[in-house]
Amino acid sequence: MSRAQAESVIKNIIREIVQECAGKGHSLSETLVAFTVKAVVLDPQNEFNVDRTLTKDDVQKLIKYCVERLVDVRSPSLDTIKMQVYFDMNYTSRREFLDEHRRVLEARLTPVTREITDSRARTREELESLYRKIVSYVLLRSGLGSPTDIAVVREATAALQSVFPQTELGTFMSLTKRDKERQLQELTFIVSGIRLFNKECGKGGEGIDDLPGILNEAIPATTQNVDIEIQNSQQAAFRYTALIEKFQSIEPPVSPSEIPVQLLKDSLINVRQHEAFLRILLNDIIGCAQQVEMLVNQLSARMEQLQQTVQSKTAVPTAQVYPQFISISHLWTCFQDEMVLLSVLSNILASIEPFTRTQRDLFPEELLTPHLEDVVVKTDEQRIVETMGNRVNPDDFHNNDDIQWLFPETTKNYDRLLLQYRGCCGYTIVKHSRLLLPGNPDIGILQYQDKLYVFSSRTAAYEFAQQPDKYIAFVGEAAKRSPELIQLLELHQQFAAISPYSQAEAGKMIEKPVTKSDSGTQTDTHILEYNIVKDYEWNEWELRRKALKLANLRSKITKSSQTHLSNLRRENSTQVYLPKEMAVQTKRNGESNVPRPQIFLAGLRGIRGIRTMVKMDLTRDVDEV
């Protein structure tokens, strides 16, 4: 089967699964269904052989398994996958968010811009209509008030008339389309700057929201909401982890019928993934707060500078104030960008919260509390503190050259290293069947094949280091049974077909550990670059003399004279007309001629009585000619 045929078959399978789920009341995206198909095929329990072509029975079985998994309303695992797919499709970097917002804004303004640039107004009424369209364009592009508010339109019209009176429409109409668009943008910035300055002075600003004040209130409130969500997810993760450890510590492991251990583990993965996404959003919100603080300082400084420029003057040169108005407008646009970004992040925050409801409904607090009475619920910090100081001894692994242990005192950027499995202990994932426990870097970070691993205990570190390839493979097998671990633990190299959402994760530092370095010292002959300044003078009296000389030159007149040596030094050029070829024609041809020699031979045939030939010269004399 060719690649194109295989893709067509997969698309048909996905389409059929979507239709069957829709028939059962579940509207699902094709992206989610495609991820589920991949997960079902990878799961070894389903016994699909990826190395051979699927038969018709295999396809029907695949569709059946996918539909059963997708319509399960009591599956924390499915909720986690839905959360990952939603976040992957809706979250991107800060720059891409803002670029997309500007692209949408430009697309909405295109009809208005086209009406203005393509206008061929001639009459007075048409010119007035064109001017009103320009005012509407300025308001729509700047976002400073509604173009349907009479007070806002009057204020914007007055500001526009001060820099672009209606009498200038003739000049505007003569411009090219690109120059018209450029002038419209410049007018928008200047008019917006004027209105913002008037608002600062208390003389206008109708319809302009106080964006710095709104942001200063919204950002802390959003940050608090994210912190609360993170704490709730952490508390749920701590309780689930404590119960799983309790049930698995019993020999043989047992659990109450109302609390299945596997569902607990799926719920633990769900809340851990939710916490990871919340921390990404929190990092972006903190970036917004820093950006707003910087913009507020810049706007205050620019307003103060403009106040000093204008003061109480009746007229100020446009070359001084227009650039400042444009700068103020750009700063306000940055405030608007932060509002858009904060709104997008808040929407994502609210949208991923429903994907945690299943695990909360399955394990409410009143159900877990009786089982937690004799259990100490430990936080991640407490687990790390308990294992502090219990380090790995690197000498125990001197026979294995592929293994290297990193410690804080011997490694640069120790707290910013990119750890495998998102900092979780790989040994615990394998040993306790997908149990997620945070690793403690103080125990020692294992560097194996340019990857870094942390562990929850010294014993786990020794066990993993004895057979790292085995445990790495087992973690991949665990991810096949719980495909949501592929995203959570960042196992994208082992599952290359799954695209990672965090490749462009902002604020994440990826640095290689530095344990050894070559260093050397050398005394330079000339530390500074060799450079002789010929006009340098160390004597202050000589500097004073030069200063007086320059000061005297201010009152002098520059004169010039021409000497014999400089005379005729300019470049000259001469053009010469070459002589033409001449010819003369006369009406009479003159020539000279000489007599032609004529000789007659008689008696060639013989003459009667004469037997010899006679030669006679008949040539005329020259004089006769």
Side-chain angles (χ1 to χ4, degrees), residues 255-415:
S255 62
S257 58
E258 70 273 11
I259 307 180
V261 174
Q262 186 53 51
L263 279 181
L264 270 179
K265 292 179 179 177
D266 292 342
S267 300
L268 175 61
I269 295 173
N270 181 271
V271 294
R272 287 293 189 185
Q273 182 65 85
H274 188 228
E275 179 188 353
F277 287 153
L278 291 177
R279 292 196 181 278
I280 295 174
L281 298 178
L282 180 61
N283 183 64
D284 288 342
I285 296 172
I286 292 174
C288 282
Q290 296 172 349
Q291 188 73 11
V292 168
E293 183 179 0
M294 180 184 67
L295 291 174
V296 168
N297 295 333
Q298 292 180 357
L299 183 63
S300 300
R302 184 63 66 182
M303 286 291 186
E304 184 177 353
Q305 181 181 356
L306 189 56
Q307 287 276 10
Q308 295 176 358
T309 302
V310 176
Q311 292 179 352
S312 59
K313 298 177 183 178
T314 56
V316 183
T318 57
Q320 295 183 12
V321 293
Y322 280 6
Q324 298 188 43
F325 287 141
I326 293 174
S327 178
I328 290 175
S329 180
H330 284 313
L331 289 174
W332 199 261
T333 302
C334 293
F335 279 113
Q336 293 173 333
D337 290 343
E338 298 305 319
M339 284 292 297
V340 171
L341 185 61
L342 187 63
S343 176
V344 171
L345 296 177
S346 299
N347 289 336
I348 295 177
L349 174 64
S351 298
I352 63 175
E353 189 272 336
F355 298 120
T356 63
R357 292 177 182 173
T358 300
Q359 55 87 13
R360 293 203 303 268
D361 294 340
L362 287 174
F363 304 110
E365 188 173 354
E366 56 272 15
L367 176 63
L368 301 180
T369 301
H371 301 280
L372 291 172
E373 293 178 353
D374 56 342
V375 177
V376 177
V377 178
K378 300 178 182 178
T379 64
D380 291 343
E381 292 75 12
Q382 290 174 341
R383 293 179 183 275
I384 291 176
V385 170
E386 289 178 355
T387 56
M388 291 291 287
N390 195 10
R391 286 190 173 185
V392 171
N393 185 6
D395 295 336
D396 296 337
F397 303 92
H398 64 277
N399 293 329
N400 194 342
D401 297 333
D402 297 334
I403 289 177
Q404 184 178 0
W405 291 95
L406 308 181
F407 299 99
E409 60 274 6
T410 59
T411 307
K412 182 182 178 182
N413 303 321
Y414 192 78
D415 56 339

Side-chain angles (χ1 to χ4, degrees), residues 49-301:
N49 189 354
V50 296
D51 296 329
R52 66 175 177 84
T53 304
L54 295 177
T55 63
K56 187 175 182 179
D57 293 337
D58 292 336
V59 172
Q60 294 300 323
K61 185 171 70 170
L62 175 61
I63 294 174
K64 176 185 176 183
Y65 288 165
C66 291
V67 172
E68 289 177 354
R69 180 173 293 191
L70 289 169
V71 299
D72 187 1
V73 295
R74 293 176 59 83
S75 173
S77 176
L78 179 61
D79 276 355
T80 306
I81 294 175
K82 289 181 179 179
M83 187 195 313
Q84 292 170 344
V85 171
Y86 174 84
F87 198 85
D88 196 10
M89 296 179 63
N90 292 274
Y91 177 82
T92 184
S93 63
R94 171 192 179 91
R95 177 178 297 179
E96 291 178 353
F97 273 135
L98 298 180
D99 289 344
E100 178 65 16
H101 169 69
R102 296 190 183 99
R103 187 191 64 78
V104 173
L105 180 61
E106 290 292 339
R108 291 178 179 176
L109 287 175
T110 298
V112 182
T113 307
R114 189 180 298 114
E115 287 183 7
I116 296 174
T117 55
D118 296 345
S119 176
R120 296 293 182 266
R122 292 291 182 270
T123 64
R124 181 177 179 180
E125 291 77 10
E126 291 176 344
L127 291 174
E128 290 178 353
S129 175
L130 176 61
Y131 198 79
R132 288 194 295 270
K133 290 179 181 179
I134 295 176
V135 174
S136 299
Y137 172 87
V138 169
L139 289 174
L140 290 172
R141 187 176 186 87
S142 64
L144 301 180
S146 172
T148 58
D149 191 337
I150 300 300
V152 174
V153 173
R154 287 178 180 174
E155 182 180 332
T157 304
L160 181 62
Q161 287 177 346
S162 65
V163 296
F164 181 72
Q166 195 168 348
T167 55
E168 296 292 331
L169 282 177
T171 305
F172 177 80
M173 297 285 292
S174 63
L175 299 176
T176 63
K177 184 174 182 179
R178 180 171 296 180
D179 291 337
K180 288 179 182 178
E181 293 175 353
R182 188 180 299 112
Q183 186 166 357
L184 285 174
Q185 293 180 4
E186 185 175 352
L187 288 174
T188 301
F189 293 143
I190 296 175
V191 171
S192 301
I194 292 174
R195 295 186 62 203
L196 291 169
F197 179 69
N198 291 338
K199 174 179 171 55
E200 181 71 15
C201 298
K203 300 179 181 178
E206 188 71 28
I208 301 177
D209 296 326
D210 184 15
L211 294 187
I214 295 174
L215 286 169
N216 287 330
E217 294 179 1
I219 290 178
T222 308
T223 305
Q224 184 178 4
N225 292 337
V226 177
D227 286 334
I228 293 174
E229 291 290 336
I230 290 177
Q231 292 177 8
N232 293 336
S233 296
Q234 286 181 333
Q235 293 298 326
F238 299 155
R239 292 196 299 268
Y240 294 157
T241 303
L243 285 176
I244 294 171
E245 289 180 330
K246 172 186 176 181
F247 298 149
Q248 290 189 341
S249 63
I250 304 173
E251 292 295 341
V254 294
S255 62
S257 58
E258 70 273 11
I259 307 180
V261 174
Q262 186 53 51
L263 279 181
L264 270 179
K265 292 179 179 177
D266 292 342
S267 300
L268 175 61
I269 295 173
N270 181 271
V271 294
R272 287 293 189 185
Q273 182 65 85
H274 188 228
E275 179 188 353
F277 287 153
L278 291 177
R279 292 196 181 278
I280 295 174
L281 298 178
L282 180 61
N283 183 64
D284 288 342
I285 296 172
I286 292 174
C288 282
Q290 296 172 349
Q291 188 73 11
V292 168
E293 183 179 0
M294 180 184 67
L295 291 174
V296 168
N297 295 333
Q298 292 180 357
L299 183 63
S300 300

Side-chain angles (χ1 to χ4, degrees), residues 609-625:
I610 301 175
R611 294 181 179 277
T612 58
M613 182 186 65
V614 179
K615 179 180 181 182
M616 297 178 68
D617 187 3
L618 299 180
T619 304
R620 299 174 63 184
D621 292 338
V622 177
D623 296 336
E624 293 181 2
V625 179

